[in-house]
Amino acid sequence: MSAGVSPPPTHVVVFLHSGDYDRVHQGLSIAAAAVASGRKAEVYLFWWALERFLHGTLDEPDFLGRDDVTNRFESRGMPTLRALLAHLTDSGLFTLAGCTGSLGALGAEARADASGIALWLGWSAILQRTAGVTDRFYL
């Protein structure tokens, strides 16, 4: 690499706060694009996005009031949240983490072990893990 040229970023971080299907889909799609190019991707779940994963509502698109979009989504065979998550997990380049503060605020601690989310962190640890990452997305 020549002088003055920065190495390519090594990973992408996505912070998912909203549980809206389109936002979660967008976040997982960003992560999927990253792993497809050989980069690591970390997705952090907060509040309503975390709640969607805890409830397991990853299969059926639910674009409220937009049946046209739901029908188009399904007819084009676009991947569900669960399919994207499986692809990401299989890549070996993906980390899914849940926020302990959001878990507590939702009163959902009893669901943590069965959630499939292996990594639970608070903001201090999240900030340490993501320090210096320039490719961050907040949805």
Side-chain angles (χ1 to χ4, degrees), residues 18-55:
S18 171
D20 292 345
Y21 197 92
D22 60 321
R23 288 178 183 250
V24 176
H25 195 275
Q26 187 71 29
L28 294 181
S29 295
I30 291 167
V35 302
S37 66
R39 294 170 70 185
K40 292 181 180 178
E42 296 179 1
V43 172
Y44 295 89
L45 302 173
F46 305 91
W47 287 91
W48 317 126
L50 176 59
E51 187 173 59
R52 179 177 283 279
F53 278 76
L54 291 171
H55 288 249

PDB file of all heavy atoms in Angstrom, residues 18-55:
ATOM      1  N   SER A  18     -34.792   0.548  16.010  1.00  0.00           N
ATOM      2  CA  SER A  18     -36.168   0.358  15.557  1.00  0.00           C
ATOM      3  C   SER A  18     -36.419  -1.119  15.259  1.00  0.00           C
ATOM      4  O   SER A  18     -35.565  -1.801  14.707  1.00  0.00           O
ATOM      5  CB  SER A  18     -36.427   1.170  14.286  1.00  0.00           C
ATOM      6  OG  SER A  18     -37.680   0.833  13.728  1.00  0.00           O
ATOM      7  N   GLY A  19     -37.586  -1.571  15.605  1.00  0.00           N
ATOM      8  CA  GLY A  19     -37.971  -2.938  15.287  1.00  0.00           C
ATOM      9  C   GLY A  19     -38.788  -3.038  14.022  1.00  0.00           C
ATOM     10  O   GLY A  19     -39.246  -4.125  13.667  1.00  0.00           O
ATOM     11  N   ASP A  20     -38.976  -1.912  13.321  1.00  0.00           N
ATOM     12  CA  ASP A  20     -39.733  -1.951  12.068  1.00  0.00           C
ATOM     13  C   ASP A  20     -39.050  -2.917  11.102  1.00  0.00           C
ATOM     14  O   ASP A  20     -37.824  -2.896  10.944  1.00  0.00           O
ATOM     15  CB  ASP A  20     -39.813  -0.567  11.431  1.00  0.00           C
ATOM     16  CG  ASP A  20     -40.650   0.413  12.233  1.00  0.00           C
ATOM     17  OD1 ASP A  20     -41.410  -0.025  13.130  1.00  0.00           O
ATOM     18  OD2 ASP A  20     -40.531   1.623  11.968  1.00  0.00           O
ATOM     19  N   TYR A  21     -39.867  -3.729  10.445  1.00  0.00           N
ATOM     20  CA  TYR A  21     -39.321  -4.772   9.577  1.00  0.00           C
ATOM     21  C   TYR A  21     -38.364  -4.199   8.538  1.00  0.00           C
ATOM     22  O   TYR A  21     -37.290  -4.754   8.308  1.00  0.00           O
ATOM     23  CB  TYR A  21     -40.463  -5.538   8.887  1.00  0.00           C
ATOM     24  CG  TYR A  21     -40.024  -6.847   8.304  1.00  0.00           C
ATOM     25  CD1 TYR A  21     -40.119  -8.026   9.044  1.00  0.00           C
ATOM     26  CD2 TYR A  21     -39.495  -6.932   7.022  1.00  0.00           C
ATOM     27  CE1 TYR A  21     -39.704  -9.235   8.529  1.00  0.00           C
ATOM     28  CE2 TYR A  21     -39.077  -8.148   6.493  1.00  0.00           C
ATOM     29  CZ  TYR A  21     -39.193  -9.293   7.249  1.00  0.00           C
ATOM     30  OH  TYR A  21     -38.772 -10.488   6.740  1.00  0.00           O
ATOM     31  N   ASP A  22     -38.740  -3.072   7.935  1.00  0.00           N
ATOM     32  CA  ASP A  22     -37.889  -2.511   6.880  1.00  0.00           C
ATOM     33  C   ASP A  22     -36.538  -2.061   7.427  1.00  0.00           C
ATOM     34  O   ASP A  22     -35.502  -2.247   6.784  1.00  0.00           O
ATOM     35  CB  ASP A  22     -38.591  -1.365   6.148  1.00  0.00           C
ATOM     36  CG  ASP A  22     -38.962  -0.209   7.055  1.00  0.00           C
ATOM     37  OD1 ASP A  22     -39.394  -0.436   8.203  1.00  0.00           O
ATOM     38  OD2 ASP A  22     -38.846   0.951   6.605  1.00  0.00           O
ATOM     39  N   ARG A  23     -36.512  -1.505   8.613  1.00  0.00           N
ATOM     40  CA  ARG A  23     -35.245  -1.044   9.194  1.00  0.00           C
ATOM     41  C   ARG A  23     -34.354  -2.215   9.603  1.00  0.00           C
ATOM     42  O   ARG A  23     -33.146  -2.197   9.378  1.00  0.00           O
ATOM     43  CB  ARG A  23     -35.500  -0.143  10.384  1.00  0.00           C
ATOM     44  CG  ARG A  23     -36.047   1.208   9.966  1.00  0.00           C
ATOM     45  CD  ARG A  23     -36.326   2.066  11.186  1.00  0.00           C
ATOM     46  NE  ARG A  23     -36.906   3.329  10.795  1.00  0.00           N
ATOM     47  CZ  ARG A  23     -36.260   4.489  10.877  1.00  0.00           C
ATOM     48  NH1 ARG A  23     -35.021   4.534  11.324  1.00  0.00           N
ATOM     49  NH2 ARG A  23     -36.853   5.590  10.518  1.00  0.00           N
ATOM     50  N   VAL A  24     -34.950  -3.234  10.204  1.00  0.00           N
ATOM     51  CA  VAL A  24     -34.167  -4.415  10.578  1.00  0.00           C
ATOM     52  C   VAL A  24     -33.648  -5.104   9.317  1.00  0.00           C
ATOM     53  O   VAL A  24     -32.480  -5.514   9.258  1.00  0.00           O
ATOM     54  CB  VAL A  24     -34.996  -5.382  11.456  1.00  0.00           C
ATOM     55  CG1 VAL A  24     -34.215  -6.652  11.766  1.00  0.00           C
ATOM     56  CG2 VAL A  24     -35.425  -4.691  12.750  1.00  0.00           C
ATOM     57  N   HIS A  25     -34.479  -5.186   8.288  1.00  0.00           N
ATOM     58  CA  HIS A  25     -34.056  -5.793   7.021  1.00  0.00           C
ATOM     59  C   HIS A  25     -32.898  -5.008   6.420  1.00  0.00           C
ATOM     60  O   HIS A  25     -31.908  -5.590   5.949  1.00  0.00           O
ATOM     61  CB  HIS A  25     -35.238  -5.855   6.039  1.00  0.00           C
ATOM     62  CG  HIS A  25     -34.998  -6.764   4.888  1.00  0.00           C
ATOM     63  ND1 HIS A  25     -34.325  -6.353   3.760  1.00  0.00           N
ATOM     64  CD2 HIS A  25     -35.323  -8.060   4.697  1.00  0.00           C
ATOM     65  CE1 HIS A  25     -34.257  -7.361   2.911  1.00  0.00           C
ATOM     66  NE2 HIS A  25     -34.851  -8.419   3.460  1.00  0.00           N
ATOM     67  N   GLN A  26     -33.007  -3.682   6.445  1.00  0.00           N
ATOM     68  CA  GLN A  26     -31.936  -2.838   5.912  1.00  0.00           C
ATOM     69  C   GLN A  26     -30.637  -3.060   6.677  1.00  0.00           C
ATOM     70  O   GLN A  26     -29.566  -3.200   6.085  1.00  0.00           O
ATOM     71  CB  GLN A  26     -32.335  -1.364   5.979  1.00  0.00           C
ATOM     72  CG  GLN A  26     -31.360  -0.432   5.305  1.00  0.00           C
ATOM     73  CD  GLN A  26     -31.378  -0.566   3.796  1.00  0.00           C
ATOM     74  OE1 GLN A  26     -32.385  -0.910   3.200  1.00  0.00           O
ATOM     75  NE2 GLN A  26     -30.251  -0.307   3.180  1.00  0.00           N
ATOM     76  N   GLY A  27     -30.720  -3.113   8.001  1.00  0.00           N
ATOM     77  CA  GLY A  27     -29.526  -3.323   8.817  1.00  0.00           C
ATOM     78  C   GLY A  27     -28.861  -4.664   8.548  1.00  0.00           C
ATOM     79  O   GLY A  27     -27.632  -4.749   8.416  1.00  0.00           O
ATOM     80  N   LEU A  28     -29.668  -5.724   8.464  1.00  0.00           N
ATOM     81  CA  LEU A  28     -29.100  -7.038   8.180  1.00  0.00           C
ATOM     82  C   LEU A  28     -28.575  -7.114   6.749  1.00  0.00           C
ATOM     83  O   LEU A  28     -27.588  -7.808   6.474  1.00  0.00           O
ATOM     84  CB  LEU A  28     -30.134  -8.134   8.442  1.00  0.00           C
ATOM     85  CG  LEU A  28     -30.573  -8.306   9.900  1.00  0.00           C
ATOM     86  CD1 LEU A  28     -31.593  -9.436  10.030  1.00  0.00           C
ATOM     87  CD2 LEU A  28     -29.384  -8.544  10.821  1.00  0.00           C
ATOM     88  N   SER A  29     -29.207  -6.377   5.833  1.00  0.00           N
ATOM     89  CA  SER A  29     -28.725  -6.329   4.443  1.00  0.00           C
ATOM     90  C   SER A  29     -27.368  -5.636   4.365  1.00  0.00           C
ATOM     91  O   SER A  29     -26.484  -6.054   3.601  1.00  0.00           O
ATOM     92  CB  SER A  29     -29.734  -5.622   3.545  1.00  0.00           C
ATOM     93  OG  SER A  29     -30.936  -6.359   3.458  1.00  0.00           O
ATOM     94  N   ILE A  30     -27.198  -4.565   5.121  1.00  0.00           N
ATOM     95  CA  ILE A  30     -25.893  -3.884   5.182  1.00  0.00           C
ATOM     96  C   ILE A  30     -24.838  -4.864   5.685  1.00  0.00           C
ATOM     97  O   ILE A  30     -23.742  -4.972   5.116  1.00  0.00           O
ATOM     98  CB  ILE A  30     -25.969  -2.635   6.086  1.00  0.00           C
ATOM     99  CG1 ILE A  30     -26.833  -1.558   5.436  1.00  0.00           C
ATOM    100  CG2 ILE A  30     -24.575  -2.102   6.402  1.00  0.00           C
ATOM    101  CD1 ILE A  30     -27.230  -0.423   6.379  1.00  0.00           C
ATOM    102  N   ALA A  31     -25.158  -5.583   6.755  1.00  0.00           N
ATOM    103  CA  ALA A  31     -24.224  -6.566   7.299  1.00  0.00           C
ATOM    104  C   ALA A  31     -23.927  -7.666   6.281  1.00  0.00           C
ATOM    105  O   ALA A  31     -22.775  -8.094   6.137  1.00  0.00           O
ATOM    106  CB  ALA A  31     -24.782  -7.162   8.594  1.00  0.00           C
ATOM    107  N   ALA A  32     -24.944  -8.108   5.541  1.00  0.00           N
ATOM    108  CA  ALA A  32     -24.755  -9.153   4.530  1.00  0.00           C
ATOM    109  C   ALA A  32     -23.847  -8.664   3.409  1.00  0.00           C
ATOM    110  O   ALA A  32     -23.008  -9.426   2.904  1.00  0.00           O
ATOM    111  CB  ALA A  32     -26.106  -9.608   3.977  1.00  0.00           C
ATOM    112  N   ALA A  33     -23.999  -7.410   3.007  1.00  0.00           N
ATOM    113  CA  ALA A  33     -23.114  -6.854   1.982  1.00  0.00           C
ATOM    114  C   ALA A  33     -21.673  -6.811   2.484  1.00  0.00           C
ATOM    115  O   ALA A  33     -20.731  -7.089   1.734  1.00  0.00           O
ATOM    116  CB  ALA A  33     -23.586  -5.464   1.573  1.00  0.00           C
ATOM    117  N   ALA A  34     -21.501  -6.495   3.757  1.00  0.00           N
ATOM    118  CA  ALA A  34     -20.156  -6.452   4.332  1.00  0.00           C
ATOM    119  C   ALA A  34     -19.506  -7.831   4.315  1.00  0.00           C
ATOM    120  O   ALA A  34     -18.372  -7.976   3.861  1.00  0.00           O
ATOM    121  CB  ALA A  34     -20.205  -5.895   5.754  1.00  0.00           C
ATOM    122  N   VAL A  35     -20.223  -8.840   4.811  1.00  0.00           N
ATOM    123  CA  VAL A  35     -19.614 -10.178   4.851  1.00  0.00           C
ATOM    124  C   VAL A  35     -19.396 -10.732   3.448  1.00  0.00           C
ATOM    125  O   VAL A  35     -18.440 -11.477   3.227  1.00  0.00           O
ATOM    126  CB  VAL A  35     -20.393 -11.171   5.752  1.00  0.00           C
ATOM    127  CG1 VAL A  35     -20.501 -10.646   7.180  1.00  0.00           C
ATOM    128  CG2 VAL A  35     -21.739 -11.526   5.180  1.00  0.00           C
ATOM    129  N   ALA A  36     -20.245 -10.350   2.506  1.00  0.00           N
ATOM    130  CA  ALA A  36     -20.058 -10.801   1.119  1.00  0.00           C
ATOM    131  C   ALA A  36     -18.751 -10.276   0.533  1.00  0.00           C
ATOM    132  O   ALA A  36     -18.164 -10.907  -0.349  1.00  0.00           O
ATOM    133  CB  ALA A  36     -21.234 -10.360   0.253  1.00  0.00           C
ATOM    134  N   SER A  37     -18.289  -9.146   1.041  1.00  0.00           N
ATOM    135  CA  SER A  37     -17.026  -8.582   0.562  1.00  0.00           C
ATOM    136  C   SER A  37     -15.849  -8.969   1.468  1.00  0.00           C
ATOM    137  O   SER A  37     -14.765  -8.407   1.349  1.00  0.00           O
ATOM    138  CB  SER A  37     -17.134  -7.061   0.438  1.00  0.00           C
ATOM    139  OG  SER A  37     -17.296  -6.470   1.706  1.00  0.00           O
ATOM    140  N   GLY A  38     -16.088  -9.915   2.382  1.00  0.00           N
ATOM    141  CA  GLY A  38     -15.025 -10.415   3.234  1.00  0.00           C
ATOM    142  C   GLY A  38     -14.771  -9.603   4.491  1.00  0.00           C
ATOM    143  O   GLY A  38     -13.781  -9.829   5.185  1.00  0.00           O
ATOM    144  N   ARG A  39     -15.658  -8.671   4.786  1.00  0.00           N
ATOM    145  CA  ARG A  39     -15.500  -7.846   5.988  1.00  0.00           C
ATOM    146  C   ARG A  39     -16.312  -8.427   7.136  1.00  0.00           C
ATOM    147  O   ARG A  39     -17.341  -9.052   6.930  1.00  0.00           O
ATOM    148  CB  ARG A  39     -15.967  -6.421   5.699  1.00  0.00           C
ATOM    149  CG  ARG A  39     -15.081  -5.737   4.671  1.00  0.00           C
ATOM    150  CD  ARG A  39     -15.657  -4.439   4.202  1.00  0.00           C
ATOM    151  NE  ARG A  39     -15.613  -3.441   5.271  1.00  0.00           N
ATOM    152  CZ  ARG A  39     -16.155  -2.237   5.139  1.00  0.00           C
ATOM    153  NH1 ARG A  39     -16.762  -1.877   4.024  1.00  0.00           N
ATOM    154  NH2 ARG A  39     -16.077  -1.373   6.132  1.00  0.00           N
ATOM    155  N   LYS A  40     -15.868  -8.179   8.337  1.00  0.00           N
ATOM    156  CA  LYS A  40     -16.637  -8.569   9.516  1.00  0.00           C
ATOM    157  C   LYS A  40     -17.790  -7.591   9.683  1.00  0.00           C
ATOM    158  O   LYS A  40     -17.687  -6.420   9.322  1.00  0.00           O
ATOM    159  CB  LYS A  40     -15.767  -8.556  10.760  1.00  0.00           C
ATOM    160  CG  LYS A  40     -14.706  -9.630  10.751  1.00  0.00           C
ATOM    161  CD  LYS A  40     -13.892  -9.579  12.019  1.00  0.00           C
ATOM    162  CE  LYS A  40     -12.841 -10.673  11.991  1.00  0.00           C
ATOM    163  NZ  LYS A  40     -11.992 -10.641  13.182  1.00  0.00           N
ATOM    164  N   ALA A  41     -18.879  -8.090  10.249  1.00  0.00           N
ATOM    165  CA  ALA A  41     -20.038  -7.249  10.535  1.00  0.00           C
ATOM    166  C   ALA A  41     -20.525  -7.541  11.942  1.00  0.00           C
ATOM    167  O   ALA A  41     -20.604  -8.697  12.355  1.00  0.00           O
ATOM    168  CB  ALA A  41     -21.156  -7.505   9.530  1.00  0.00           C
ATOM    169  N   GLU A  42     -20.813  -6.471  12.671  1.00  0.00           N
ATOM    170  CA  GLU A  42     -21.374  -6.587  14.008  1.00  0.00           C
ATOM    171  C   GLU A  42     -22.698  -5.846  14.028  1.00  0.00           C
ATOM    172  O   GLU A  42     -22.774  -4.695  13.603  1.00  0.00           O
ATOM    173  CB  GLU A  42     -20.432  -5.975  15.045  1.00  0.00           C
ATOM    174  CG  GLU A  42     -19.101  -6.677  15.157  1.00  0.00           C
ATOM    175  CD  GLU A  42     -18.172  -6.046  16.177  1.00  0.00           C
ATOM    176  OE1 GLU A  42     -18.556  -5.056  16.841  1.00  0.00           O
ATOM    177  OE2 GLU A  42     -17.053  -6.556  16.303  1.00  0.00           O
ATOM    178  N   VAL A  43     -23.744  -6.511  14.517  1.00  0.00           N
ATOM    179  CA  VAL A  43     -25.054  -5.890  14.653  1.00  0.00           C
ATOM    180  C   VAL A  43     -25.413  -5.883  16.131  1.00  0.00           C
ATOM    181  O   VAL A  43     -25.369  -6.923  16.796  1.00  0.00           O
ATOM    182  CB  VAL A  43     -26.129  -6.640  13.832  1.00  0.00           C
ATOM    183  CG1 VAL A  43     -27.519  -6.097  14.132  1.00  0.00           C
ATOM    184  CG2 VAL A  43     -25.829  -6.543  12.336  1.00  0.00           C
ATOM    185  N   TYR A  44     -25.726  -4.683  16.634  1.00  0.00           N
ATOM    186  CA  TYR A  44     -26.102  -4.488  18.028  1.00  0.00           C
ATOM    187  C   TYR A  44     -27.592  -4.178  18.096  1.00  0.00           C
ATOM    188  O   TYR A  44     -28.068  -3.286  17.399  1.00  0.00           O
ATOM    189  CB  TYR A  44     -25.284  -3.346  18.641  1.00  0.00           C
ATOM    190  CG  TYR A  44     -23.823  -3.682  18.714  1.00  0.00           C
ATOM    191  CD1 TYR A  44     -22.968  -3.396  17.653  1.00  0.00           C
ATOM    192  CD2 TYR A  44     -23.300  -4.319  19.829  1.00  0.00           C
ATOM    193  CE1 TYR A  44     -21.620  -3.726  17.713  1.00  0.00           C
ATOM    194  CE2 TYR A  44     -21.960  -4.653  19.903  1.00  0.00           C
ATOM    195  CZ  TYR A  44     -21.128  -4.357  18.841  1.00  0.00           C
ATOM    196  OH  TYR A  44     -19.801  -4.690  18.897  1.00  0.00           O
ATOM    197  N   LEU A  45     -28.299  -4.917  18.930  1.00  0.00           N
ATOM    198  CA  LEU A  45     -29.752  -4.790  19.048  1.00  0.00           C
ATOM    199  C   LEU A  45     -30.128  -4.016  20.306  1.00  0.00           C
ATOM    200  O   LEU A  45     -29.672  -4.346  21.408  1.00  0.00           O
ATOM    201  CB  LEU A  45     -30.398  -6.176  19.111  1.00  0.00           C
ATOM    202  CG  LEU A  45     -30.122  -7.102  17.930  1.00  0.00           C
ATOM    203  CD1 LEU A  45     -30.680  -8.491  18.219  1.00  0.00           C
ATOM    204  CD2 LEU A  45     -30.696  -6.529  16.649  1.00  0.00           C
ATOM    205  N   PHE A  46     -30.985  -3.021  20.111  1.00  0.00           N
ATOM    206  CA  PHE A  46     -31.489  -2.203  21.204  1.00  0.00           C
ATOM    207  C   PHE A  46     -33.014  -2.159  21.118  1.00  0.00           C
ATOM    208  O   PHE A  46     -33.595  -2.345  20.066  1.00  0.00           O
ATOM    209  CB  PHE A  46     -30.937  -0.772  21.104  1.00  0.00           C
ATOM    210  CG  PHE A  46     -29.445  -0.718  21.038  1.00  0.00           C
ATOM    211  CD1 PHE A  46     -28.787  -0.739  19.824  1.00  0.00           C
ATOM    212  CD2 PHE A  46     -28.694  -0.665  22.204  1.00  0.00           C
ATOM    213  CE1 PHE A  46     -27.401  -0.699  19.760  1.00  0.00           C
ATOM    214  CE2 PHE A  46     -27.307  -0.622  22.157  1.00  0.00           C
ATOM    215  CZ  PHE A  46     -26.668  -0.643  20.925  1.00  0.00           C
ATOM    216  N   TRP A  47     -33.653  -1.884  22.209  1.00  0.00           N
ATOM    217  CA  TRP A  47     -35.081  -1.633  22.334  1.00  0.00           C
ATOM    218  C   TRP A  47     -35.949  -2.487  21.410  1.00  0.00           C
ATOM    219  O   TRP A  47     -36.046  -3.673  21.599  1.00  0.00           O
ATOM    220  CB  TRP A  47     -35.376  -0.138  22.174  1.00  0.00           C
ATOM    221  CG  TRP A  47     -34.931   0.632  23.372  1.00  0.00           C
ATOM    222  CD1 TRP A  47     -33.702   1.217  23.558  1.00  0.00           C
ATOM    223  CD2 TRP A  47     -35.661   0.871  24.564  1.00  0.00           C
ATOM    224  NE1 TRP A  47     -33.646   1.809  24.799  1.00  0.00           N
ATOM    225  CE2 TRP A  47     -34.847   1.620  25.443  1.00  0.00           C
ATOM    226  CE3 TRP A  47     -36.947   0.537  24.984  1.00  0.00           C
ATOM    227  CZ2 TRP A  47     -35.260   2.028  26.686  1.00  0.00           C
ATOM    228  CZ3 TRP A  47     -37.363   0.956  26.236  1.00  0.00           C
ATOM    229  CH2 TRP A  47     -36.525   1.691  27.070  1.00  0.00           C
ATOM    230  N   TRP A  48     -36.590  -1.866  20.452  1.00  0.00           N
ATOM    231  CA  TRP A  48     -37.627  -2.541  19.658  1.00  0.00           C
ATOM    232  C   TRP A  48     -37.035  -3.555  18.689  1.00  0.00           C
ATOM    233  O   TRP A  48     -37.674  -4.565  18.394  1.00  0.00           O
ATOM    234  CB  TRP A  48     -38.511  -1.527  18.944  1.00  0.00           C
ATOM    235  CG  TRP A  48     -38.871  -0.388  19.853  1.00  0.00           C
ATOM    236  CD1 TRP A  48     -38.681   0.940  19.608  1.00  0.00           C
ATOM    237  CD2 TRP A  48     -39.437  -0.456  21.170  1.00  0.00           C
ATOM    238  NE1 TRP A  48     -39.092   1.687  20.691  1.00  0.00           N
ATOM    239  CE2 TRP A  48     -39.557   0.853  21.669  1.00  0.00           C
ATOM    240  CE3 TRP A  48     -39.839  -1.515  21.992  1.00  0.00           C
ATOM    241  CZ2 TRP A  48     -40.064   1.143  22.925  1.00  0.00           C
ATOM    242  CZ3 TRP A  48     -40.347  -1.221  23.259  1.00  0.00           C
ATOM    243  CH2 TRP A  48     -40.460   0.089  23.702  1.00  0.00           C
ATOM    244  N   ALA A  49     -35.834  -3.314  18.211  1.00  0.00           N
ATOM    245  CA  ALA A  49     -35.172  -4.320  17.371  1.00  0.00           C
ATOM    246  C   ALA A  49     -34.862  -5.553  18.219  1.00  0.00           C
ATOM    247  O   ALA A  49     -35.096  -6.693  17.788  1.00  0.00           O
ATOM    248  CB  ALA A  49     -33.900  -3.755  16.750  1.00  0.00           C
ATOM    249  N   LEU A  50     -34.370  -5.322  19.418  1.00  0.00           N
ATOM    250  CA  LEU A  50     -34.101  -6.430  20.333  1.00  0.00           C
ATOM    251  C   LEU A  50     -35.390  -7.187  20.628  1.00  0.00           C
ATOM    252  O   LEU A  50     -35.413  -8.420  20.616  1.00  0.00           O
ATOM    253  CB  LEU A  50     -33.472  -5.909  21.628  1.00  0.00           C
ATOM    254  CG  LEU A  50     -33.234  -6.948  22.721  1.00  0.00           C
ATOM    255  CD1 LEU A  50     -32.328  -8.064  22.247  1.00  0.00           C
ATOM    256  CD2 LEU A  50     -32.664  -6.271  23.959  1.00  0.00           C
ATOM    257  N   GLU A  51     -36.451  -6.451  20.865  1.00  0.00           N
ATOM    258  CA  GLU A  51     -37.737  -7.093  21.157  1.00  0.00           C
ATOM    259  C   GLU A  51     -38.186  -7.994  20.004  1.00  0.00           C
ATOM    260  O   GLU A  51     -38.684  -9.096  20.224  1.00  0.00           O
ATOM    261  CB  GLU A  51     -38.790  -6.030  21.441  1.00  0.00           C
ATOM    262  CG  GLU A  51     -40.110  -6.607  21.919  1.00  0.00           C
ATOM    263  CD  GLU A  51     -41.053  -5.508  22.354  1.00  0.00           C
ATOM    264  OE1 GLU A  51     -41.389  -4.625  21.523  1.00  0.00           O
ATOM    265  OE2 GLU A  51     -41.462  -5.535  23.526  1.00  0.00           O
ATOM    266  N   ARG A  52     -37.986  -7.557  18.762  1.00  0.00           N
ATOM    267  CA  ARG A  52     -38.360  -8.373  17.593  1.00  0.00           C
ATOM    268  C   ARG A  52     -37.599  -9.694  17.616  1.00  0.00           C
ATOM    269  O   ARG A  52     -38.160 -10.759  17.372  1.00  0.00           O
ATOM    270  CB  ARG A  52     -38.087  -7.630  16.287  1.00  0.00           C
ATOM    271  CG  ARG A  52     -38.445  -8.457  15.043  1.00  0.00           C
ATOM    272  CD  ARG A  52     -38.239  -7.709  13.758  1.00  0.00           C
ATOM    273  NE  ARG A  52     -39.274  -6.748  13.458  1.00  0.00           N
ATOM    274  CZ  ARG A  52     -40.458  -7.046  12.904  1.00  0.00           C
ATOM    275  NH1 ARG A  52     -40.756  -8.292  12.608  1.00  0.00           N
ATOM    276  NH2 ARG A  52     -41.329  -6.097  12.650  1.00  0.00           N
ATOM    277  N   PHE A  53     -36.304  -9.651  17.931  1.00  0.00           N
ATOM    278  CA  PHE A  53     -35.506 -10.878  17.983  1.00  0.00           C
ATOM    279  C   PHE A  53     -35.913 -11.750  19.167  1.00  0.00           C
ATOM    280  O   PHE A  53     -35.972 -12.974  19.035  1.00  0.00           O
ATOM    281  CB  PHE A  53     -34.013 -10.538  18.053  1.00  0.00           C
ATOM    282  CG  PHE A  53     -33.417 -10.234  16.712  1.00  0.00           C
ATOM    283  CD1 PHE A  53     -33.649  -9.019  16.095  1.00  0.00           C
ATOM    284  CD2 PHE A  53     -32.624 -11.165  16.058  1.00  0.00           C
ATOM    285  CE1 PHE A  53     -33.109  -8.724  14.859  1.00  0.00           C
ATOM    286  CE2 PHE A  53     -32.073 -10.893  14.818  1.00  0.00           C
ATOM    287  CZ  PHE A  53     -32.314  -9.666  14.213  1.00  0.00           C
ATOM    288  N   LEU A  54     -36.200 -11.144  20.299  1.00  0.00           N
ATOM    289  CA  LEU A  54     -36.629 -11.915  21.461  1.00  0.00           C
ATOM    290  C   LEU A  54     -37.951 -12.625  21.216  1.00  0.00           C
ATOM    291  O   LEU A  54     -38.171 -13.732  21.706  1.00  0.00           O
ATOM    292  CB  LEU A  54     -36.749 -11.008  22.688  1.00  0.00           C
ATOM    293  CG  LEU A  54     -35.437 -10.454  23.242  1.00  0.00           C
ATOM    294  CD1 LEU A  54     -35.717  -9.404  24.309  1.00  0.00           C
ATOM    295  CD2 LEU A  54     -34.538 -11.565  23.773  1.00  0.00           C
ATOM    296  N   HIS A  55     -38.823 -12.000  20.438  1.00  0.00           N
ATOM    297  CA  HIS A  55     -40.125 -12.602  20.113  1.00  0.00           C
ATOM    298  C   HIS A  55     -40.021 -13.553  18.930  1.00  0.00           C
ATOM    299  O   HIS A  55     -40.989 -14.263  18.641  1.00  0.00           O
ATOM    300  CB  HIS A  55     -41.159 -11.511  19.826  1.00  0.00           C
ATOM    301  CG  HIS A  55     -41.605 -10.770  21.038  1.00  0.00           C
ATOM    302  ND1 HIS A  55     -42.865 -10.868  21.564  1.00  0.00           N
ATOM    303  CD2 HIS A  55     -40.947  -9.901  21.840  1.00  0.00           C
ATOM    304  CE1 HIS A  55     -42.971 -10.104  22.633  1.00  0.00           C
ATOM    305  NE2 HIS A  55     -41.801  -9.507  22.816  1.00  0.00           N
TER     306      HIS A  55
END
